[in-house]
Amino acid sequence: MLHLVSIHCVSFALLLMWTQCSAQSDSSTAGIQLRLAGEKRKHYEGRLEVFYNGEWGTVCDDDFTIYAAQVVCRELGFLNADSWSPSAKYGKGEGRIWLDNVHCTGGEKSLAQCESNGFGVSDCKHSEDVGVVCNQKRIPGFKFIRNQANSIEGVTVQVEDVRIRATYSHRKRIPITEGFLEVKDGGKWRQICDEEWTGMNSKVICGMYGFPGEKRFNNRAYKLLANRRKKNYWGFSVNCTGNEANLSDCKMGREIELKGNSTCGRGMPVVVSCVPGRAFAPSVSMGFRKAYRVEQPLVRLRGGAMIGEGRVEVLKNGVWGTVCDDNWNIRAATVVCRELGFGSGKEALSGARMGQGIGPVHMNEVECSGFEKSLTECLFNRESVGCSHEEDAAVRCHVPAMGFQNRLRLAGGRNPYEGRVEVLAERNGTLQWGTVCSDSWGTMEAMVVCRQLGLGFASNAFQETWYWQGDSSSDAVVMSGVRCSGTELTLDQCLHHGKHTICPKGGGRFAAGVSCTQAAPDLVLNAPVVEQTTYLEDRPMYALQCAHEESCLSKTADKADPSSYRRLLRFSSQIHNNGLSDFRPRAAHHSWVWHECHRHYHSMEVFTHYDLMSLNGTKVAEGHKASFCLEDTYCDEGIQKRYECANFGAQGITVGCWDTYRHDIDCQWIDITDVKPGDYILQIVINPNYEVAESDYTNNIMKCRSRYDGQRIWTYNCRIGGSMSSETDDMFPGLLTNQLSHR
C-alpha cells in the first residue's frame, strides 16, 4: 500500500513538472514580449529584456548560446543573430531577472519555448545580464504580435520596414524629403494614424532617412490626397521621445481599432517632411543651418571612406583632439551626426575603428541625452585621464539615399571592388553607358569613384584596363579631363570636360579603372622630432658628390668650387602609420631604383617634399623631392616589423609602426646656402603626389616657424595640417586645407 502511494506521489510530481514545462514551452501561455535596451552602439543590438507578469526584467548569461540569440532575434523580427555578449555589456538592467540557464535548440518560435529554470528562478545579479547583436536585415513578411494586454508599456516598435512614400509630384526629387509615412507589417505597407503623432516621432523618422530635422508641410494638400485613397492603417500608435536613432528604438503606443476607411476618423495618414543637410540640399538656402557653423565647426569627422562616417574630433582652445570611447553610444553618435547635417547615428564605433587621431584626447566618458545641438554640450569626465588614441571614438551616420551608385559602375573586374569605370551619361537625348578617359587619371579620381559606389577607399588607379573586358557597347568615351580634389561625392562633381570630350588615346584598353578597399593607411609626421633635431651643418662640396648627383642640393651647387662649403638645414623625419592598413609603394620590385648615397633601393621616387618658404608662402630655398626606402624602424609594443630595406626586402610601413630617416644621412636636409637671415616657414609634405591612397591627406603636411640669423637657426611651433583651428591659417598659409601646388 505504501508502495502504491509513493507511485501516485511520483506521478503527481511528474504531472506538476510537465505542467510547468508546458507553461514555459507555450509562448501564448507564457505571454512574453522582448526588447533590446541599454547602452547601444547599433539599433539592432542591446541588453535582452523580457516582459512577463506585468513587468520588464532581464535574462542571465549562464548557459546562454548563439542558438538562444537566434531565437530572440527572430522573435524580434530580425533575420538572424550575429553574436551575443555576457556580463552586462550594454549596462546593468533593473527589476527582476526573469530567465536563467536558458537552453534553446535554435528552432523555437519564442524564447518562452526554450528550457530554463522557470520564470523568476535565478541566482544571478544584473552584472550578468545578457545582450544580443542581431543581423540588421528584417524577416520578409514579419508581423508583430502583441502577446500581452493593452496595458503593456515599453514594447519597442517591431516592423519589417519603413518608408517615406512621396506624392507623384515629388517622386523625381532627390533626395525624397517628404511624403506619407508607411510601415511594412505582415508583408503589407500600412499607414499610421496621425491622431497621436508628434513632431518627435517625425524627428526620428527624418533621422533614419539621413536628415537632421523635420519641418512643417502643407497639411491641406495631403488631406485632399488622403481622402481620395484607400487606406490600410497599422494597428498601433507610436511614442518616440525624439532622441532615438531608429524607429525600432521607439515605444509602441496604444492599439487602434481597425474599422476600414473609418479608422482614424478624426485624423489622416501621417505625413513626414524633413530638412536635408547642406551637402544634400537642392540649393544652399534649403540646407540645414541650425547647428552648422560654416566659419568654424566645433566637431568634425576624419578618416572615413564614406560621407557621414569617421573618427570624431572636437575643437578645444584652438586645437583639434579626439574623443575617448568609454561609454560611447548611439545617442552621442546621433548628436554628432545631426550637428554635422546628417541624420541620426547608424553606429557608434569604438577602438579606433576609423584610425587613430593625433593631438590630445579632449573628451572621455561622454554622456549625451540625445537632444543636444552639439557634442560639446554633452556631459563628460573632465578629470578622467589615461585614454590613448587606440580608444578613439568614431561614428557612422544615416545619410540620404541620393542614388549616386546608379550612375556609375565597375565592369570586367575579378571581384565587385575592381574594374573599368563606366559612367551613365546623356548622349543624343538618351542615357548610355560609356568609359572615362584615363588622361590625368589618378588616386584622387579613384577615391571619388570608390566613395560614390560605397566601396571604401581607392587602392589603385589604372590608366590601362585592357585586361578587364567590359561590355564592348560601352567602349565609347563619355567623360574626359577629370580632375578631383578628393572630397567630391560623385565623379560628375569633379572638374571635367563637358559634352565635348577630348581623349587622344581613346577608350577601350586605355579607359580609366580602379580597385577599392575597405581600409587605408594614414601617414603622419612626428612634429616634436622635427623641432628637436633641426640644426645647421656646413659641409664641403667634395663630401657631397653623391648627394649632388641625386639633386639634393640647390642649382647654385652646379657651379660651386669643390673646396667650397654648402650650408645644410638638417632634421630627422619620423613618419607614423596611424591608419588601418599597411602603407605599400605602388611600384613593383623590378622598377625600384638603386641609390648609391643610401646603399639601398628606393621604392618611391617622390615620397616627401622639403621646402623653406617666406611667411607669404614663396619658396626661398630650392627644396628637393626626396625619395625613400620604406621600412619599419620601430613599432608600437606588440606589433611585429614586416618591412626592411636590407637585402632587397619588401618595403612599406606597417600599421602601428614608423619609418625614421635620421638627420645624419645624405639628402635629409634643405640646402640654405643662398638664403638670407630672416623668419621663414619650414614645410614637409609626405606622399605629395597622392601616389598611394590614404584615409586622410590633410595631416600629410607639416609647417614649422624658423628664424635664421645667418649663423644659427631656431625651429618652433611645428604644426600638422588640420590640427589647429582656422585662426592659425594666417600664421601658416595653406595648413588647414593642405593646398599644395597643382599636380
Side-chain angles (χ1 to χ4, degrees):
M1 187 71 177
L2 284 169
H3 183 64
L4 287 172
V5 169
S6 64
I7 291 174
H8 282 296
C9 288
V10 170
S11 301
F12 183 67
L14 288 170
L15 181 65
L16 281 174
M17 287 175 65
W18 179 84
T19 305
Q20 186 181 16
C21 289
S22 65
Q24 292 173 29
S25 302
D26 186 349
S27 65
S28 61
T29 305
I32 68 166
Q33 299 282 177
L34 305 180
R35 71 181 181 190
L36 301 179
E39 297 298 310
K40 303 179 176 189
R41 296 191 173 183
K42 300 184 276 270
H43 75 267
Y44 44 90
E45 68 176 4
R47 180 177 61 246
L48 174 58
E49 294 192 351
V50 179
F51 190 84
Y52 175 75
N53 201 25
E55 64 177 299
W56 285 100
T58 61
V59 177
C60 184
D61 59 15
D62 292 350
D63 295 342
F64 202 86
T65 64
I66 190 65
Y67 299 114
Q70 288 169 355
V71 172
V72 167
C73 290
R74 285 198 294 270
E75 190 170 355
L76 288 166
F78 296 102
L79 205 56
N80 215 330
D82 285 346
S83 63
W84 65 278
S85 302
S87 307
K89 177 185 174 182
Y90 300 100
K92 296 179 183 179
E94 296 176 349
R96 302 282 294 274
I97 298 176
W98 277 127
L99 294 171
D100 187 9
N101 298 112
V102 176
H103 292 269
C104 302
T105 64
E108 294 87 351
K109 298 289 184 186
S110 169
L111 189 66
Q113 294 176 350
C114 298
E115 292 181 11
S116 71
N117 293 350
F119 283 95
V121 181
S122 171
D123 59 356
C124 295
K125 297 177 181 177
H126 280 298
S127 57
E128 300 171 83
D129 287 343
V130 77
V132 298
V133 180
C134 299
N135 186 301
Q136 60 180 312
K137 292 181 180 177
R138 305 288 295 182
I139 297 172
F142 174 80
K143 182 171 179 62
F144 172 75
I145 299 171
R146 176 169 266 175
N147 290 327
Q148 295 278 341
N150 260 349
S151 60
I152 181 174
E153 291 183 359
V155 176
T156 50
V157 175
Q158 297 161 26
V159 292
E160 182 185 339
D161 203 357
V162 186
R163 72 180 181 187
I164 298 175
R165 188 180 181 188
T167 60
Y168 291 113
S169 59
H170 287 181
R171 277 183 190 169
K172 289 188 178 180
R173 294 185 183 179
I174 297 176
I176 291 174
T177 58
E178 185 176 295
F180 288 107
L181 176 67
E182 296 185 339
V183 295
K184 197 173 189 181
D185 185 51
K188 294 181 179 179
W189 287 104
R190 306 172 191 274
Q191 301 86 39
I192 297 177
C193 177
D194 72 351
E195 287 177 3
E196 298 177 24
W197 190 261
T198 67
M200 290 303 177
N201 294 352
S202 293
K203 183 179 179 181
V204 172
I205 298 297
C206 289
M208 282 176 63
Y209 278 87
F211 305 116
E214 78 290 348
K215 64 180 177 67
R216 294 185 177 184
F217 57 91
N218 184 348
N219 192 60
R220 188 177 177 185
Y222 281 100
K223 199 156 193 173
L224 288 169
L225 274 171
N227 288 337
R228 296 180 202 156
R229 291 182 176 180
K230 184 180 178 182
K231 290 174 274 297
N232 182 18
Y233 283 105
W234 190 45
F236 301 93
S237 60
V238 175
N239 291 328
C240 301
T241 59
N243 64 352
E244 297 91 348
N246 194 283
L247 184 65
S248 62
D249 293 323
C250 296
K251 303 293 189 292
M252 300 276 281
R254 68 178 180 88
E255 195 161 356
I256 293 170
E257 187 182 352
L258 299 177
K259 299 180 289 186
N261 271 355
S262 302
T263 309
C264 195
R266 292 176 295 167
M268 59 177 272
V270 165
V271 174
V272 173
S273 183
C274 307
V275 183
R278 279 173 180 260
F280 308 100
S283 64
V284 175
S285 61
M286 290 181 68
F288 182 73
R289 290 167 178 255
K290 289 179 185 174
Y292 194 90
R293 300 172 177 85
V294 176
E295 66 282 357
Q296 182 60 76
L298 298 177
V299 179
R300 69 183 184 186
L301 301 181
R302 282 286 185 271
M306 306 295 124
I307 187 169
E309 69 174 33
R311 180 178 59 252
V312 179
E313 297 187 353
V314 294
L315 186 67
K316 182 181 178 184
N317 299 328
V319 179
W320 286 100
T322 60
V323 177
C324 187
D325 62 10
D326 293 348
N327 299 346
W328 187 247
N329 60 32
I330 198 73
R331 280 199 308 275
T334 293
V335 171
V336 170
C337 293
R338 289 189 191 278
E339 178 178 5
L340 295 174
F342 306 115
S344 53
K346 193 175 185 180
E347 193 172 354
L349 301 164
S350 57
R353 287 271 301 279
M354 294 286 178
Q356 295 185 28
I358 57 175
V361 178
H362 281 324
M363 300 176 80
N364 187 18
E365 297 179 10
V366 176
E367 287 187 30
C368 301
S369 67
F371 296 105
E372 295 87 353
K373 296 293 184 188
S374 170
L375 183 68
T376 57
E377 296 174 9
C378 296
L379 298 173
F380 65 98
N381 189 344
R382 298 174 186 273
E383 305 300 322
S384 183
V385 291
C387 263
S388 69
H389 285 300
E390 293 175 355
E391 300 169 87
D392 284 344
V395 298
R396 284 197 178 99
C397 305
H398 284 114
V399 296
M402 302 295 289
F404 291 150
Q405 67 277 12
N406 300 329
R407 307 203 295 266
L408 196 71
R409 69 185 184 190
L410 300 183
R414 296 162 296 180
N415 58 62
Y417 286 85
E418 67 177 20
R420 183 175 81 174
V421 178
E422 295 184 356
V423 179
L424 189 62
E426 188 176 335
R427 286 290 179 269
N428 302 320
T430 60
L431 289 172
Q432 65 180 65
W433 288 98
T435 57
V436 178
C437 184
S438 63
D439 285 351
S440 77
W441 187 258
T443 302
M444 284 302 190
E445 290 71 36
M447 288 285 250
V448 175
V449 167
C450 294
R451 179 183 300 122
Q452 184 173 348
L453 291 171
L455 298 177
F457 301 99
S459 55
N460 280 294
F462 301 98
Q463 294 192 341
E464 287 189 35
T465 52
W466 51 269
Y467 37 82
W468 286 331
Q469 290 299 316
D471 187 340
S472 58
S473 65
S474 304
D475 280 350
V477 173
V478 295
M479 200 174 193
S480 65
V482 181
R483 308 267 298 203
C484 304
S485 69
T487 59
E488 296 88 352
L489 300 183
T490 64
L491 200 62
D492 57 12
Q493 289 177 0
C494 300
L495 289 172
H496 62 277
H497 299 147
K499 293 182 179 180
H500 304 289
T501 56
I502 304 170
C503 190
K505 291 192 296 187
R509 62 173 293 169
F510 294 108
V514 301
S515 62
C516 306
T517 179
Q518 289 296 306
D522 182 21
L523 298 189
V524 183
L525 266 163
N526 188 325
V529 167
V530 175
E531 279 189 22
Q532 293 159 13
T533 58
T534 306
Y535 65 97
L536 296 178
E537 181 193 9
D538 290 340
R539 201 168 192 193
M541 272 298 297
Y542 63 77
L544 292 168
Q545 289 309 305
C546 181
H548 191 202
E549 289 171 10
E550 293 192 11
S551 303
C552 295
L553 303 174
S554 61
K555 287 182 180 177
T556 56
D558 296 344
K559 300 176 183 178
D561 188 274
S563 61
S564 64
Y565 283 74
R566 306 300 295 180
R567 178 156 290 179
L568 307 175
L569 169 59
R570 284 187 172 274
F571 49 87
S572 295
S573 292
Q574 189 182 94
I575 299 160
H576 293 241
N577 183 358
N578 285 356
L580 296 173
S581 69
D582 295 354
F583 185 94
R584 299 298 310 277
R586 279 180 58 190
H589 267 70
H590 69 270
S591 61
W592 293 357
V593 179
W594 174 261
H595 280 251
E596 191 64 32
C597 292
H598 297 154
R599 304 295 298 168
H600 56 221
Y601 284 92
H602 284 188
S603 57
M604 288 184 72
E605 273 308 294
V606 182
F607 180 64
T608 56
H609 281 182
Y610 299 147
D611 290 297
L612 193 69
M613 304 184 300
S614 66
L615 296 184
N616 66 10
T618 307
K619 290 183 184 180
V620 294
E622 285 183 37
H624 66 280
K625 300 173 181 178
S627 57
F628 266 48
C629 165
L630 302 172
E631 68 176 3
D632 297 327
T633 311
Y634 299 102
C635 295
D636 290 333
E637 189 176 349
I639 297 176
Q640 194 74 29
K641 292 182 184 179
R642 294 185 186 176
Y643 307 106
E644 62 176 348
C645 296
N647 303 319
F648 200 39
Q651 294 192 22
I653 307 175
T654 305
V655 174
C657 299
W658 55 93
D659 188 1
T660 301
Y661 257 53
R662 285 173 50 87
H663 54 82
D664 53 2
I665 65 173
D666 272 3
C667 297
Q668 191 59 37
W669 63 55
I670 297 175
D671 183 354
I672 64 166
T673 306
D674 308 313
V675 174
K676 296 176 182 178
D679 288 318
Y680 299 101
I681 292 174
L682 168 64
Q683 176 177 282
I684 302 174
V685 185
I686 320 167
N687 193 15
N689 296 340
Y690 313 113
E691 191 176 323
V692 177
E694 296 185 48
S695 60
D696 187 359
Y697 286 112
T698 61
N699 56 19
N700 281 30
I701 186 170
M702 190 194 73
K703 297 192 179 190
C704 307
R705 293 296 295 267
S706 294
R707 174 163 291 180
Y708 175 48
D709 68 358
Q711 299 298 324
R712 295 166 297 177
I713 195 160
W714 293 266
T715 302
Y716 57 98
N717 278 357
C718 289
R719 297 284 185 261
I720 301 296
S723 64
M724 307 292 286
S725 71
S726 57
E727 293 168 5
T728 61
D729 205 30
D730 296 333
M731 190 189 304
F732 299 103
L735 183 63
L736 202 73
T737 56
N738 194 9
Q739 289 176 344
L740 309 176
S741 56
H742 293 291
R743 289 175 290 151

